Amino acid sequence: LVGKPGTTYKYLGLRMFSLPLGGENELAFQLLDKCNEKMKVRTRNLFKRQEHKEGCDYDILLINKCYSASTSSSEHGVKLKLEPTFKHDLSSISWHADSMLKPFSSIGVYNYVKDDDPESRSDWRIGLRVREHIEGPSKNQRGVRNAENESAPQRPIAPPVSVNVPNESIYYLLGSFNHHHEHCVLAGDASERYSSTHRVARPGHTFASIRDRLQNFIRKK
């Protein structure tokens, strides 16, 4: 996790504290900071309506490494499973909507595959499917009735799709997309995939806010 000093992100039950974005002594973090600023501008330019642009101020980057079909083995301690939705594809990251983010904010992803074979560098895919209110303020929760969902008219649900993501490409989950859809990563055959996922953190999950809550709790006890 890389971000503004003090930002945190909870991922699969683990709270991570960010490394500093744009650190003075780390060239890699300076380059990530420049990349992040470019991503902000590009995302804003994709919107025609002004009200969505405030959800493009990316302040955290989650950098992932995904094993490919050929590197999935006991040697690496990782065994990829078949994705039942697409039958014959291995899932490197299973279905999910990104959580712990500012509601209805956008997400930008830079995709990189290190391989000399051009065909191997473009065989990674992203799966997409509709899951209304899967994330955000009106998130579906087991055992919780959602009046918004119950009152909404039933609409036909589009079938899942998968999209190729060539090497060094960028894709975006704009506006409310993450609120109403899930996505997964379908493994390519040869080389590992790296991604830099640019996001807007949910307010109230900084080191300072967590420290204040702990201090208040200690005082009460």
Side-chain angles (χ1 to χ4, degrees), residues 39-124:
M39 291 284 279
K40 289 181 186 180
V41 173
R42 290 179 62 133
T43 308
R44 289 192 189 100
N45 290 340
L46 291 171
F47 282 113
K48 295 180 180 179
R49 292 182 296 177
Q50 186 71 29
E51 61 265 26
H52 284 296
K53 294 187 178 182
E54 63 183 18
C56 310
D57 292 327
Y58 304 132
D59 54 6
I60 53 172
L61 283 65
L62 192 64
I63 300 176
N64 289 324
K65 173 184 177 182
C66 295
Y67 286 109
S68 67
S70 62
T71 56
S72 166
S73 66
S74 56
E75 175 185 348
H76 294 90
V78 174
K79 184 68 174 177
L80 302 184
K81 297 180 180 179
L82 284 172
E83 171 48 56
T85 307
F86 296 103
K87 308 296 184 183
H88 304 296
D89 298 294
L90 292 176
S91 174
S92 187
I93 300 178
S94 59
W95 290 107
H96 69 287
D98 290 349
S99 59
M100 295 290 296
L101 304 180
K102 180 179 179 179
F104 305 109
S105 59
S106 296
I107 300 166
V109 183
Y110 173 74
N111 179 74
Y112 177 74
V113 180
K114 185 179 180 180
D115 200 307
D116 295 329
D117 183 357
E119 293 186 5
S120 298
R121 294 167 66 177
S122 61
D123 61 355
W124 284 82

